[in-house]
mmCIF file of all heavy atoms in Angstrom:
data_model
loop_
_atom_site.group_PDB
_atom_site.id
_atom_site.type_symbol
_atom_site.label_atom_id
_atom_site.label_comp_id
_atom_site.label_asym_id
_atom_site.label_seq_id
_atom_site.Cartn_x
_atom_site.Cartn_y
_atom_site.Cartn_z
ATOM 1 N N THR A 12 168.480 120.306 100.980
ATOM 2 C CA THR A 12 167.489 119.979 99.956
ATOM 3 C C THR A 12 166.808 118.650 100.230
ATOM 4 O O THR A 12 167.244 117.855 101.069
ATOM 5 C CB THR A 12 168.136 119.916 98.557
ATOM 6 O OG1 THR A 12 169.031 118.800 98.525
ATOM 7 C CG2 THR A 12 168.877 121.198 98.231
ATOM 8 N N HIS A 13 165.736 118.426 99.490
ATOM 9 C CA HIS A 13 164.952 117.201 99.586
ATOM 10 C C HIS A 13 165.829 115.970 99.329
ATOM 11 O O HIS A 13 165.541 114.893 99.836
ATOM 12 C CB HIS A 13 163.804 117.273 98.562
ATOM 13 C CG HIS A 13 162.838 116.148 98.666
ATOM 14 N ND1 HIS A 13 161.905 116.079 99.670
ATOM 15 C CD2 HIS A 13 162.654 115.041 97.907
ATOM 16 C CE1 HIS A 13 161.193 114.980 99.522
ATOM 17 N NE2 HIS A 13 161.616 114.341 98.456
ATOM 18 N N GLN A 14 166.869 116.133 98.549
ATOM 19 C CA GLN A 14 167.748 115.018 98.202
ATOM 20 C C GLN A 14 168.561 114.518 99.392
ATOM 21 O O GLN A 14 169.209 113.497 99.298
ATOM 22 C CB GLN A 14 168.711 115.438 97.090
ATOM 23 C CG GLN A 14 168.032 115.777 95.785
ATOM 24 C CD GLN A 14 167.216 114.631 95.253
ATOM 25 O OE1 GLN A 14 166.003 114.670 95.288
ATOM 26 N NE2 GLN A 14 167.851 113.603 94.783
ATOM 27 N N GLN A 15 168.523 115.228 100.500
ATOM 28 C CA GLN A 15 169.357 114.853 101.635
ATOM 29 C C GLN A 15 168.649 113.950 102.637
ATOM 30 O O GLN A 15 169.067 113.829 103.771
ATOM 31 C CB GLN A 15 169.912 116.117 102.302
ATOM 32 C CG GLN A 15 170.893 116.814 101.374
ATOM 33 C CD GLN A 15 171.346 118.167 101.880
ATOM 34 O OE1 GLN A 15 170.572 118.954 102.384
ATOM 35 N NE2 GLN A 15 172.625 118.437 101.729
ATOM 36 N N LYS A 16 167.565 113.313 102.196
ATOM 37 C CA LYS A 16 166.922 112.318 103.054
ATOM 38 C C LYS A 16 167.927 111.211 103.308
ATOM 39 O O LYS A 16 168.806 110.941 102.496
ATOM 40 C CB LYS A 16 165.663 111.753 102.396
ATOM 41 C CG LYS A 16 164.485 112.683 102.494
ATOM 42 C CD LYS A 16 163.215 111.978 102.118
ATOM 43 C CE LYS A 16 162.045 112.907 102.362
ATOM 44 N NZ LYS A 16 160.774 112.247 102.104
ATOM 45 N N GLN A 17 167.773 110.546 104.440
ATOM 46 C CA GLN A 17 168.684 109.476 104.833
ATOM 47 C C GLN A 17 167.923 108.151 104.857
ATOM 48 O O GLN A 17 166.696 108.124 104.886
ATOM 49 C CB GLN A 17 169.261 109.770 106.219
ATOM 50 C CG GLN A 17 170.037 111.073 106.306
ATOM 51 C CD GLN A 17 171.328 111.025 105.524
ATOM 52 O OE1 GLN A 17 172.080 110.050 105.609
ATOM 53 N NE2 GLN A 17 171.592 112.057 104.753
ATOM 54 N N VAL A 18 168.668 107.066 104.896
ATOM 55 C CA VAL A 18 168.065 105.739 104.972
ATOM 56 C C VAL A 18 168.759 104.948 106.072
ATOM 57 O O VAL A 18 169.960 105.084 106.295
ATOM 58 C CB VAL A 18 168.145 105.000 103.610
ATOM 59 C CG1 VAL A 18 169.581 104.717 103.211
ATOM 60 C CG2 VAL A 18 167.321 103.732 103.632
ATOM 61 N N THR A 19 167.983 104.167 106.774
ATOM 62 C CA THR A 19 168.512 103.249 107.776
ATOM 63 C C THR A 19 167.834 101.905 107.551
ATOM 64 O O THR A 19 166.809 101.835 106.878
ATOM 65 C CB THR A 19 168.265 103.778 109.215
ATOM 66 O OG1 THR A 19 168.924 102.926 110.144
ATOM 67 C CG2 THR A 19 166.792 103.842 109.540
ATOM 68 N N ILE A 20 168.396 100.867 108.101
ATOM 69 C CA ILE A 20 167.815 99.536 107.959
ATOM 70 C C ILE A 20 167.200 99.134 109.297
ATOM 71 O O ILE A 20 167.876 99.156 110.329
ATOM 72 C CB ILE A 20 168.877 98.488 107.532
ATOM 73 C CG1 ILE A 20 169.586 98.921 106.236
ATOM 74 C CG2 ILE A 20 168.255 97.107 107.391
ATOM 75 C CD1 ILE A 20 168.682 99.019 105.031
ATOM 76 N N GLN A 21 165.906 98.801 109.266
ATOM 77 C CA GLN A 21 165.214 98.321 110.458
ATOM 78 C C GLN A 21 164.511 97.018 110.111
ATOM 79 O O GLN A 21 163.734 96.971 109.161
ATOM 80 C CB GLN A 21 164.203 99.356 110.959
ATOM 81 C CG GLN A 21 164.856 100.610 111.507
ATOM 82 C CD GLN A 21 163.831 101.614 112.028
ATOM 83 O OE1 GLN A 21 162.623 101.433 111.900
ATOM 84 N NE2 GLN A 21 164.329 102.673 112.620
ATOM 85 N N ASN A 22 164.808 95.989 110.874
ATOM 86 C CA ASN A 22 164.236 94.656 110.617
ATOM 87 C C ASN A 22 164.516 94.192 109.199
ATOM 88 O O ASN A 22 163.661 93.619 108.535
ATOM 89 C CB ASN A 22 162.724 94.631 110.895
ATOM 90 C CG ASN A 22 162.398 94.976 112.327
ATOM 91 O OD1 ASN A 22 163.124 94.577 113.236
ATOM 92 N ND2 ASN A 22 161.327 95.712 112.532
ATOM 93 N N GLY A 23 165.705 94.529 108.691
ATOM 94 C CA GLY A 23 166.109 94.099 107.360
ATOM 95 C C GLY A 23 165.499 94.889 106.211
ATOM 96 O O GLY A 23 165.689 94.544 105.055
ATOM 97 N N LYS A 24 164.762 95.973 106.521
ATOM 98 C CA LYS A 24 164.120 96.767 105.472
ATOM 99 C C LYS A 24 164.587 98.212 105.543
ATOM 100 O O LYS A 24 164.795 98.765 106.626
ATOM 101 C CB LYS A 24 162.594 96.721 105.625
ATOM 102 C CG LYS A 24 162.015 95.336 105.418
ATOM 103 C CD LYS A 24 160.526 95.362 105.496
ATOM 104 C CE LYS A 24 159.975 93.961 105.281
ATOM 105 N NZ LYS A 24 158.529 93.957 105.319
ATOM 106 N N PRO A 25 164.753 98.861 104.369
ATOM 107 C CA PRO A 25 165.169 100.265 104.373
ATOM 108 C C PRO A 25 164.036 101.173 104.858
ATOM 109 O O PRO A 25 162.883 101.005 104.477
ATOM 110 C CB PRO A 25 165.512 100.551 102.908
ATOM 111 C CG PRO A 25 164.724 99.542 102.133
ATOM 112 C CD PRO A 25 164.595 98.333 103.018
ATOM 113 N N VAL A 26 164.399 102.117 105.711
ATOM 114 C CA VAL A 26 163.445 103.103 106.212
ATOM 115 C C VAL A 26 164.051 104.485 105.957
ATOM 116 O O VAL A 26 165.161 104.769 106.401
ATOM 117 C CB VAL A 26 163.176 102.914 107.725
ATOM 118 C CG1 VAL A 26 162.263 104.012 108.249
ATOM 119 C CG2 VAL A 26 162.592 101.535 107.995
ATOM 120 N N PHE A 27 163.320 105.330 105.221
ATOM 121 C CA PHE A 27 163.810 106.668 104.899
ATOM 122 C C PHE A 27 163.356 107.649 105.972
ATOM 123 O O PHE A 27 162.247 107.534 106.500
ATOM 124 C CB PHE A 27 163.297 107.107 103.521
ATOM 125 C CG PHE A 27 163.878 106.301 102.403
ATOM 126 C CD1 PHE A 27 163.242 105.150 101.952
ATOM 127 C CD2 PHE A 27 165.071 106.685 101.806
ATOM 128 C CE1 PHE A 27 163.790 104.392 100.930
ATOM 129 C CE2 PHE A 27 165.615 105.940 100.777
ATOM 130 C CZ PHE A 27 164.976 104.787 100.339
ATOM 131 N N TYR A 28 164.229 108.608 106.284
ATOM 132 C CA TYR A 28 163.881 109.611 107.279
ATOM 133 C C TYR A 28 164.561 110.932 106.937
ATOM 134 O O TYR A 28 165.501 110.975 106.152
ATOM 135 C CB TYR A 28 164.280 109.158 108.688
ATOM 136 C CG TYR A 28 165.775 109.065 108.907
ATOM 137 C CD1 TYR A 28 166.473 110.130 109.478
ATOM 138 C CD2 TYR A 28 166.497 107.934 108.538
ATOM 139 C CE1 TYR A 28 167.842 110.070 109.674
ATOM 140 C CE2 TYR A 28 167.863 107.861 108.726
ATOM 141 C CZ TYR A 28 168.530 108.922 109.303
ATOM 142 O OH TYR A 28 169.887 108.859 109.492
ATOM 143 N N GLU A 29 164.031 112.013 107.532
ATOM 144 C CA GLU A 29 164.614 113.337 107.330
ATOM 145 C C GLU A 29 165.566 113.654 108.471
ATOM 146 O O GLU A 29 165.158 113.614 109.631
ATOM 147 C CB GLU A 29 163.515 114.409 107.283
ATOM 148 C CG GLU A 29 162.660 114.362 106.054
ATOM 149 C CD GLU A 29 161.714 115.556 105.952
ATOM 150 O OE1 GLU A 29 161.575 116.323 106.926
ATOM 151 O OE2 GLU A 29 161.113 115.711 104.880
ATOM 152 N N PRO A 30 166.819 113.960 108.151
ATOM 153 C CA PRO A 30 167.740 114.380 109.212
ATOM 154 C C PRO A 30 167.308 115.741 109.779
ATOM 155 O O PRO A 30 166.481 116.444 109.184
ATOM 156 C CB PRO A 30 169.091 114.468 108.515
ATOM 157 C CG PRO A 30 168.788 114.580 107.068
ATOM 158 C CD PRO A 30 167.456 113.938 106.843
ATOM 159 N N ALA A 31 167.861 116.107 110.918
ATOM 160 C CA ALA A 31 167.486 117.341 111.616
ATOM 161 C C ALA A 31 167.607 118.575 110.719
ATOM 162 O O ALA A 31 166.741 119.453 110.747
ATOM 163 C CB ALA A 31 168.334 117.507 112.876
ATOM 164 N N GLU A 32 168.667 118.657 109.905
ATOM 165 C CA GLU A 32 168.853 119.819 109.014
ATOM 166 C C GLU A 32 167.709 119.959 108.016
ATOM 167 O O GLU A 32 167.233 121.059 107.747
ATOM 168 C CB GLU A 32 170.164 119.698 108.237
ATOM 169 C CG GLU A 32 171.404 119.976 109.040
ATOM 170 C CD GLU A 32 172.666 119.846 108.174
ATOM 171 O OE1 GLU A 32 172.575 119.363 107.021
ATOM 172 O OE2 GLU A 32 173.731 120.235 108.671
ATOM 173 N N LEU A 33 167.263 118.844 107.460
ATOM 174 C CA LEU A 33 166.170 118.874 106.488
ATOM 175 C C LEU A 33 164.857 119.239 107.171
ATOM 176 O O LEU A 33 164.066 120.020 106.638
ATOM 177 C CB LEU A 33 166.060 117.530 105.763
ATOM 178 C CG LEU A 33 164.972 117.393 104.699
ATOM 179 C CD1 LEU A 33 165.054 118.510 103.667
ATOM 180 C CD2 LEU A 33 165.075 116.040 104.022
ATOM 181 N N LYS A 34 164.621 118.712 108.363
ATOM 182 C CA LYS A 34 163.416 119.069 109.120
ATOM 183 C C LYS A 34 163.403 120.565 109.417
ATOM 184 O O LYS A 34 162.361 121.220 109.311
ATOM 185 C CB LYS A 34 163.347 118.285 110.425
ATOM 186 C CG LYS A 34 162.916 116.856 110.258
ATOM 187 C CD LYS A 34 162.825 116.157 111.595
ATOM 188 C CE LYS A 34 162.432 114.711 111.417
ATOM 189 N NZ LYS A 34 162.382 113.975 112.683
ATOM 190 N N ALA A 35 164.561 121.118 109.781
ATOM 191 C CA ALA A 35 164.649 122.553 110.084
ATOM 192 C C ALA A 35 164.390 123.390 108.834
ATOM 193 O O ALA A 35 163.688 124.405 108.888
ATOM 194 C CB ALA A 35 166.018 122.881 110.681
ATOM 195 N N ALA A 36 164.939 122.969 107.693
ATOM 196 C CA ALA A 36 164.726 123.692 106.432
ATOM 197 C C ALA A 36 163.252 123.661 106.050
ATOM 198 O O ALA A 36 162.676 124.670 105.636
ATOM 199 C CB ALA A 36 165.585 123.084 105.317
ATOM 200 N N ARG A 37 162.625 122.511 106.197
ATOM 201 C CA ARG A 37 161.196 122.372 105.887
ATOM 202 C C ARG A 37 160.369 123.283 106.810
ATOM 203 O O ARG A 37 159.475 123.995 106.353
ATOM 204 C CB ARG A 37 160.749 120.917 106.035
ATOM 205 C CG ARG A 37 159.301 120.677 105.657
ATOM 206 C CD ARG A 37 158.900 119.217 105.824
ATOM 207 N NE ARG A 37 159.682 118.321 104.999
ATOM 208 C CZ ARG A 37 159.447 118.086 103.715
ATOM 209 N NH1 ARG A 37 158.452 118.694 103.099
ATOM 210 N NH2 ARG A 37 160.211 117.241 103.049
ATOM 211 N N ALA A 38 160.679 123.278 108.094
ATOM 212 C CA ALA A 38 159.933 124.103 109.055
ATOM 213 C C ALA A 38 160.098 125.594 108.735
ATOM 214 O O ALA A 38 159.134 126.366 108.808
ATOM 215 C CB ALA A 38 160.403 123.800 110.479
ATOM 216 N N LYS A 39 161.309 126.000 108.364
ATOM 217 C CA LYS A 39 161.567 127.404 108.022
ATOM 218 C C LYS A 39 160.744 127.815 106.802
ATOM 219 O O LYS A 39 160.067 128.856 106.814
ATOM 220 C CB LYS A 39 163.061 127.604 107.751
ATOM 221 C CG LYS A 39 163.455 129.025 107.403
ATOM 222 C CD LYS A 39 164.968 129.125 107.214
ATOM 223 C CE LYS A 39 165.417 130.553 106.988
ATOM 224 N NZ LYS A 39 166.874 130.673 106.894
ATOM 225 N N LEU A 40 160.782 126.997 105.758
ATOM 226 C CA LEU A 40 160.017 127.310 104.542
ATOM 227 C C LEU A 40 158.515 127.346 104.840
ATOM 228 O O LEU A 40 157.808 128.245 104.380
ATOM 229 C CB LEU A 40 160.313 126.303 103.441
ATOM 230 C CG LEU A 40 161.641 126.475 102.714
ATOM 231 C CD1 LEU A 40 161.896 125.300 101.775
ATOM 232 C CD2 LEU A 40 161.686 127.782 101.950
ATOM 233 N N MET A 41 158.035 126.384 105.606
ATOM 234 C CA MET A 41 156.607 126.340 105.936
ATOM 235 C C MET A 41 156.179 127.602 106.692
ATOM 236 O O MET A 41 155.114 128.156 106.420
ATOM 237 C CB MET A 41 156.289 125.093 106.771
ATOM 238 C CG MET A 41 156.488 123.784 106.034
ATOM 239 S SD MET A 41 155.282 123.461 104.757
ATOM 240 C CE MET A 41 153.850 123.148 105.745
ATOM 241 N N ALA A 42 157.007 128.057 107.624
ATOM 242 C CA ALA A 42 156.674 129.252 108.409
ATOM 243 C C ALA A 42 156.577 130.486 107.516
ATOM 244 O O ALA A 42 155.636 131.278 107.635
ATOM 245 C CB ALA A 42 157.714 129.464 109.504
ATOM 246 N N TYR A 43 157.523 130.657 106.612
ATOM 247 C CA TYR A 43 157.510 131.816 105.716
ATOM 248 C C TYR A 43 156.407 131.700 104.670
ATOM 249 O O TYR A 43 155.694 132.667 104.393
ATOM 250 C CB TYR A 43 158.865 131.987 105.028
ATOM 251 C CG TYR A 43 159.895 132.674 105.894
ATOM 252 C CD1 TYR A 43 160.678 131.957 106.785
ATOM 253 C CD2 TYR A 43 160.096 134.049 105.811
ATOM 254 C CE1 TYR A 43 161.628 132.584 107.572
ATOM 255 C CE2 TYR A 43 161.043 134.694 106.595
ATOM 256 C CZ TYR A 43 161.812 133.951 107.479
ATOM 257 O OH TYR A 43 162.745 134.582 108.260
ATOM 258 N N LEU A 44 156.258 130.515 104.074
ATOM 259 C CA LEU A 44 155.235 130.319 103.042
ATOM 260 C C LEU A 44 153.832 130.456 103.617
ATOM 261 O O LEU A 44 152.919 130.933 102.937
ATOM 262 C CB LEU A 44 155.387 128.943 102.387
ATOM 263 C CG LEU A 44 156.582 128.771 101.463
ATOM 264 C CD1 LEU A 44 156.819 127.299 101.161
ATOM 265 C CD2 LEU A 44 156.396 129.573 100.186
ATOM 266 N N GLY A 45 153.653 130.053 104.855
ATOM 267 C CA GLY A 45 152.341 130.116 105.497
ATOM 268 C C GLY A 45 151.773 131.527 105.561
ATOM 269 O O GLY A 45 150.557 131.705 105.667
ATOM 270 N N GLN A 46 152.620 132.522 105.465
ATOM 271 C CA GLN A 46 152.188 133.917 105.532
ATOM 272 C C GLN A 46 151.620 134.427 104.202
ATOM 273 O O GLN A 46 151.076 135.530 104.143
ATOM 274 C CB GLN A 46 153.371 134.808 105.939
ATOM 275 C CG GLN A 46 153.956 134.463 107.288
ATOM 276 C CD GLN A 46 155.236 135.244 107.561
ATOM 277 O OE1 GLN A 46 155.346 136.407 107.193
ATOM 278 N NE2 GLN A 46 156.196 134.593 108.181
ATOM 279 N N HIS A 47 151.767 133.648 103.127
ATOM 280 C CA HIS A 47 151.397 134.129 101.789
ATOM 281 C C HIS A 47 150.440 133.201 101.044
ATOM 282 O O HIS A 47 150.281 133.336 99.832
ATOM 283 C CB HIS A 47 152.666 134.324 100.950
ATOM 284 C CG HIS A 47 153.661 135.236 101.577
ATOM 285 N ND1 HIS A 47 153.542 136.607 101.548
ATOM 286 C CD2 HIS A 47 154.791 134.970 102.287
ATOM 287 C CE1 HIS A 47 154.555 137.161 102.193
ATOM 288 N NE2 HIS A 47 155.322 136.186 102.642
#
């Protein structure tokens, strides 16, 4: 789910990113939704 975004610290500031599982879920939904 969207709630599974991760955070890392770069140059003392939080940076949010999508882990591989979330990117795959997003890509899967986009592929199926794109057909409709």
Side-chain angles (χ1 to χ4, degrees):
T12 67
H13 187 75
Q14 296 302 107
Q15 293 172 318
K16 282 193 174 184
Q17 300 291 314
V18 65
T19 186
I20 304 297
Q21 292 181 355
N22 300 322
K24 295 183 180 181
V26 176
F27 293 91
Y28 67 95
E29 290 188 349
E32 285 181 350
L33 181 53
K34 283 182 182 178
R37 183 180 300 278
K39 181 177 185 176
L40 283 172
M41 295 289 290
Y43 279 86
L44 288 166
Q46 300 172 37
H47 304 281

